[in-house]
Amino acid sequence: MQRVRELDKAARHKLITSVVTRKRVGTQHELLEALARAGCHVTQATISRDIRELGLDKTHDVLGRPRYVAPQEGRRAEPRDALAGVLAQFGRSATAAQNI
C-alpha cells in the first residue's frame, strides 16, 4: 500500500496534469481515486478548485465518454481550424442553399 503524502499545490497540480494526460479521467471522483492510488489524498472541493485553476477542459473521447484534458500550452485552436477538423472527420460534402 502506498504511503499517504502531503503535496504542495504546485506538486499536486503537476500530478493532476500527469494523470489526465496519461489516462482517461471523466469525473472528479475518478480523479480523486487516481490521486489516492498515487498516494495523494485530497477532498472533492480541492479537486474541483484544482480543475478550475488548471483550466482543464471536459471533452469526450472517440467513444463518446467524458474526459478531462489539459489545455494546449499557450494557445487555443483557431475556430476555423477546429471547424475544418470537424468537417474533415464528419463532412461528406457541402452545398450552398440559395440564401442560407
Side-chain angles (χ1 to χ4, degrees), residues 17-28 30 51 56-70:
T17 302
S18 174
V19 167
V20 299
T21 54
R22 286 184 294 114
K23 60 186 281 187
R24 188 193 66 79
V25 176
T27 65
Q28 291 183 7
E30 289 174 357
I51 288 171
L56 297 182
D57 294 320
K58 195 162 194 181
T59 64
H60 291 86
D61 65 9
V62 294
L63 299 176
R65 299 175 300 187
R67 75 172 295 165
Y68 285 108
V69 294

Side-chain angles (χ1 to χ4, degrees), residues 74-86:
R75 132 182 198 314
R76 287 250 187 222
E78 183 68 31
R80 287 185 188 271
D81 294 340
L83 179 60
V86 169

Side-chain angles (χ1 to χ4, degrees), residues 9 12-13 46-56:
K9 186 185 224 178
R12 190 175 64 246
H13 282 193
T46 300
I47 293 294
S48 180
R49 189 171 41 252
D50 288 343
I51 288 171
R52 188 175 55 253
E53 289 173 357
L54 287 168
L56 297 182

